[in-house]
Structures are given as C-alpha cells and as structure tokens.
Amino acid sequence: MAMVGLFWIAEGDVYVGAKPSGLGPGVRLTPEGVVALGDGQSGIHPWEDVRALSVTDVPVKSFMRQVGAVRSLAVGTVVNLALPMVPGRVDEAPATMTVTVESSGGRHELAAYVAAAVGYSPAETELSRALLSRLTEGAATMATTLAAMSEWGRSSGGGTPRGAERERLLREWAGGSGD
C-alpha cells in the first residue's frame, strides 16, 4: 500500500483517501466507475455518466498541523498508559474529505477518510485535483490513467515514495511532464 497525493494505491486498487475497512467510508476508482463504499454510501457511478470529479475538505499540511499531530500523539499515549481500559472512552474518528461526483444522475457527495495524518502538501493536493479532473476527460484517458496508477501500485513494492517522487508521479498521471 502506498500513498501518492490524495490517492491510496493498494496493489492494483486505487482509492481517493485512505482504503476503508469495515463499514468505514471510502471511494474506489475502478475501470467501471467511481465506487462508493461504506455505511450509508454504496453504489457505483459509471464513468460514462461522470461529468466532474472533485474533492474538498482536504487538510493541507502546515507547521501547526504537524505540531498538533505530535501533541495529540503524546497526549493519547499518556492517556492510554494512565487509563487503558476506561469504559465509555471513544477514540476520535479519522478526518474525512468530501469527494463530489457530478453525473447525469445529479451531484453526489461521498466521504473518504484522510490518509495523511498531518495533511497533504499543497502541491500534491493541486496535482491530485488535476488528476481527478483528467479522469473525466473520456474513456480512453480514464482507462490509460487508472491502468498506469494500478500498474505502479503492483510494481512499487508497497512503500510510499518521498515527496518529490509522489509529485512526479502525479504530474505524469495527470498528463504533464514526469521529469
């Protein structure tokens, strides 16, 4: 599994945001369409009906967000050590993004968990949005782009690449120069 921009690529599967588990919300991109996963949002939006694909509520990486994540981790560790089995204690749910699918059937807002604990870089966020837009340019473009992302996921070894490599991949998949 690897994170590249707003995408989570697990072997050949491509998700917007984190790959969901159980009944958690998620959005999977397949050659057939945009698949809504999780409790309260199921179904598929076939590519031939999708006119636009966008994402909002994306947490952008900042120094203060990084400080907050470290502080939260430290406080959580202390609380878990001091109160490991307190009844009624609920862990905080992961943050979500909104993936909007505009289709001939209307506008559909889908939730997807955020995969980046401290947020996404501004560059990766914009490149990911460009890539989502590219996926709606036509069947051939969508098929070629998703195939490239899936193939990379199968051959990457499962590790998330460094920032510069993630940006290069996003530019390549979005149709810009990969160099």
Side-chain angles (χ1 to χ4, degrees):
M1 294 185 287
M3 185 177 66
V4 179
L6 302 180
F7 303 97
W8 191 259
I9 304 171
E11 296 180 6
D13 298 332
V14 179
Y15 298 88
V16 179
K19 178 181 178 181
S21 63
L23 298 175
V27 176
R28 184 173 170 208
L29 305 176
T30 70
E32 293 76 32
V34 180
V35 181
L37 304 168
D39 193 29
Q41 64 174 36
S42 61
I44 185 167
H45 303 280
W47 286 113
E48 58 266 13
D49 294 340
V50 176
R51 295 184 183 138
L53 192 56
S54 60
V55 63
T56 56
D57 306 321
V58 177
V60 177
K61 187 184 297 185
S62 69
F63 176 73
M64 291 309 292
R65 185 176 295 279
Q66 290 172 316
V67 168
V70 170
R71 181 179 54 221
S72 179
L73 178 63
V75 170
T77 301
V78 169
V79 168
N80 285 336
L81 291 172
L83 308 167
M85 301 288 280
V86 175
R89 206 174 118 234
V90 179
D91 290 330
E92 187 177 317
T96 59
M97 304 183 283
T98 303
V99 180
T100 303
V101 181
E102 292 183 34
S103 70
S104 56
R107 181 182 171 103
H108 310 276
E109 293 187 347
L110 309 173
Y113 283 135
V114 170
V118 295
Y120 299 94
S121 77
E124 286 184 74
T125 300
E126 289 311 308
L127 288 166
S128 295
R129 286 179 170 145
L131 178 52
L132 286 170
S133 179
R134 179 165 173 75
L135 291 172
T136 65
E137 291 177 358
T141 300
M142 176 278 303
T144 303
T145 303
L146 277 181
M149 294 172 79
S150 295
E151 178 55 36
W152 179 86
R154 284 189 289 277
S155 65
S156 71
T160 296
R162 295 201 173 273
E165 175 66 4
R166 292 192 308 264
E167 289 180 26
R168 186 196 66 75
L169 286 165
L170 290 166
R171 274 192 296 281
E172 179 181 312
W173 296 333
S177 171
D179 297 321

